[in-house]
Amino acid sequence: MRQLNKRRMNVAQQSKVTTGMLHQYITVLLLLFAVSTSSAQHDSLPVNVHDTSFFKTFDGYFTGRFYFSNKFITPDFIPTANKQQLIAYRPNTPVTMGVGATYEWLTLNLAYGFKFINQFQNDRGKTRYLDLQSHSYGRRSVIDFYGQFYKGFYLQSATSTPGKYYVRPDMGISQIGGQYEHIFNWRKFSYRAAMLQSERQLKSAGSLTAGFEANYSIISADSSFVPTDPLYAGLPALNRIRHFEFGPSLGYAYTLVLFRNVFVHANASSYLDLNFTKSSTPLGNQNSVTVRPDFAYRFAAGINRPQWTAAITWINNQLNAPVQDFRYRQTSGLLRLTFNYRLPVGPKLKKWVRPVDYFNEKVFSRTRNKQVATPPAN
């Protein structure tokens, strides 16, 4: 009875510690959310005045685009004892071809994976997926959203039978999450110029960024993730991982401008996340609460001329979690090749963008007028 009581006391103490950590993280996130909401409100106001010698906006212009894109989510299992036994799964997803448009703050894209640009490998199995990614680049902030649902993967890492893929149609991933980042040097640095090419960076500039993220994901299969192959013998038979994380971020973004029209952009952000992970094997479940870093990267390069642009963009968001004898790494993002053309909004295009102009006039201009009419506090 004494041992049982001691165990109960230890469990209660661990629960209090975990609850205390959770309360602290929630308090920090609520403060960050309040700041981000205030920044997002200011971000939509016309009173934001940027340094026109550093980047140019195209107010009154309509940006049309033609692009090729590939979205992805990749689960990797890295054994802590022997990293040579890396288990890397990949989805068999198509390259999509699409069209889109940007006017003021509104961007719409539509794409489809046509057969004539995809050479599907039947020996890699089939992947069914719904990938809802949104990357919103404001004047002072960036907001990313991930809603990814994938079923069916193949093993990319080595097997004892080269040339034959190990296929897992039963493996599935569901992930919902997002990130917010505030841009401190927003007067001189434009994320839109680098990632959307709806603006034009004239001089090299960068900015410190800070924000937070929250992600929830589940990966599961009918049997162990570990392949039935001698190369992976002795590894734990994991078949389900449930993961939730949130925490603050700090990063830096920079755009290098060469020969007036050529640009190269890079951004790296680190997140210090509180992780709640539950992993399952046929022998039982294991829960863990840890604080670990996650990472997010963006890269873009191309030509941005006054009337047209051509660029390649890459977004990569990485989740890390300790699960028994593995480090689980889940990577999400997209790779895109884009061609843009800018058109002044004349009488023919005016009727198509009228709802955006109406919203700007009725909402943004009223808010600006109220701010101008309100005297500053002493």
Side-chain angles (χ1 to χ4, degrees):
M1 285 295 293
R2 291 181 179 178
Q3 292 180 351
L4 181 60
N5 290 333
K6 287 182 178 180
R7 289 180 181 176
R8 289 178 178 176
M9 290 176 64
N10 290 334
V11 171
Q13 291 174 353
Q14 291 177 359
S15 177
K16 290 180 179 178
V17 171
T18 302
T19 304
M21 292 175 63
L22 181 59
H23 285 169
Q24 292 176 1
Y25 265 76
I26 290 176
T27 302
V28 172
L29 285 179
L30 287 175
L31 291 173
L32 288 171
F33 180 76
V35 173
S36 69
T37 303
S38 175
S39 298
Q41 290 174 351
H42 286 297
D43 185 46
S44 60
L45 300 178
V47 294
N48 288 335
V49 179
H50 67 279
D51 189 336
T52 56
S53 67
F54 273 84
F55 68 88
K56 174 181 174 59
T57 62
F58 292 91
D59 296 332
Y61 276 75
F62 179 90
T63 302
R65 71 178 49 86
F66 173 74
Y67 66 93
F68 298 93
S69 178
N70 181 243
K71 298 179 180 180
F72 57 85
I73 186 168
T74 59
D76 296 330
F77 301 87
I78 307 170
T80 54
N82 183 9
K83 295 183 180 180
Q84 299 298 323
Q85 290 181 298
L86 166 69
I87 303 172
Y89 285 104
R90 299 293 180 264
N92 190 13
T93 53
V95 174
T96 59
M97 182 174 68
V99 294
T102 296
Y103 178 72
E104 299 289 343
W105 47 266
L106 180 65
T107 295
L108 297 175
N109 293 317
L110 181 64
Y112 183 75
F114 296 96
K115 290 184 178 180
F116 69 90
I117 59 173
N118 289 281
Q119 298 294 327
F120 290 103
Q121 302 293 332
N122 294 329
D123 56 349
R124 298 184 185 184
K126 294 183 179 181
T127 299
R128 293 177 296 167
Y129 73 101
L130 175 64
D131 196 317
L132 304 173
Q133 293 188 41
S134 173
H135 306 280
S136 177
Y137 300 97
R139 175 69 65 237
R140 301 191 186 194
S141 63
V142 178
I143 299 175
D144 300 302
F145 170 78
Y146 293 90
Q148 298 177 287
F149 309 91
Y150 282 68
K151 186 71 176 290
F153 291 83
Y154 69 91
L155 185 68
Q156 187 187 55
S157 48
T159 64
S160 57
T161 56
K164 185 177 181 180
Y165 287 96
Y166 180 79
V167 179
R168 294 300 303 267
D170 60 312
M171 182 184 296
I173 294 179
S174 298
Q175 175 181 237
I176 297 178
Q179 295 90 27
Y180 166 86
E181 288 195 13
H182 176 74
I183 306 167
F184 289 93
N185 190 24
W186 59 270
R187 295 187 186 275
K188 296 182 179 181
F189 170 77
S190 170
Y191 248 126
R192 295 172 181 170
M195 303 303 295
L196 291 179
Q197 299 88 51
S198 60
E199 297 178 347
R200 188 179 179 216
Q201 192 81 40
L202 303 176
K203 295 181 182 179
S204 300
S207 177
L208 189 70
T209 63
F212 62 90
E213 75 165 352
N215 287 299
Y216 177 76
S217 69
I218 297 177
I219 176 171
S220 61
D222 294 342
S223 58
S224 173
F225 300 132
V226 178
T228 55
D229 189 286
L231 293 177
Y232 304 100
L235 295 176
L238 286 171
N239 63 350
R240 181 181 173 89
I241 299 172
R242 187 172 63 184
H243 180 77
F244 174 66
E245 63 177 12
F246 58 93
S249 72
L250 185 66
Y252 189 78
Y254 188 82
T255 299
L256 175 67
V257 179
L258 302 169
F259 313 111
R260 297 186 63 182
N261 299 317
V262 178
F263 73 94
V264 179
H265 168 83
N267 163 237
S269 299
S270 178
Y271 297 84
L272 188 61
D273 287 335
L274 179 63
N275 295 267
F276 298 86
T277 306
K278 181 179 180 179
S279 56
S280 302
T281 69
L283 300 178
N285 301 324
Q286 184 180 73
N287 298 316
S288 65
V289 180
T290 58
V291 176
R292 293 181 62 90
D294 280 347
F295 304 94
Y297 310 97
R298 300 177 207 264
F299 175 83
I303 301 173
N304 195 345
R305 294 182 63 85
Q307 194 169 28
W308 62 270
T309 72
I312 183 170
T313 56
W314 175 67
I315 299 174
N316 187 294
N317 184 59
Q318 189 180 104
L319 174 156
N320 293 278
V323 286
Q324 300 193 21
D325 294 332
F326 292 101
R327 177 169 71 89
Y328 177 60
R329 181 178 63 200
Q330 184 174 296
T331 305
S332 305
L334 64 86
L335 179 65
R336 178 173 291 173
L337 175 64
T338 308
F339 304 92
N340 294 300
Y341 194 83
R342 301 186 181 103
L343 293 171
V345 178
K348 292 184 178 180
L349 285 176
K350 195 68 176 177
K351 62 180 181 180
W352 295 101
V353 299
R354 193 170 297 159
V356 179
D357 291 335
Y358 178 84
F359 188 85
N360 288 342
E361 180 182 355
K362 296 298 182 182
V363 178
F364 292 167
S365 62
R366 285 184 180 179
T367 308
R368 179 185 60 182
N369 293 335
K370 287 182 179 180
Q371 285 197 340
V372 173
T374 302
N378 294 326

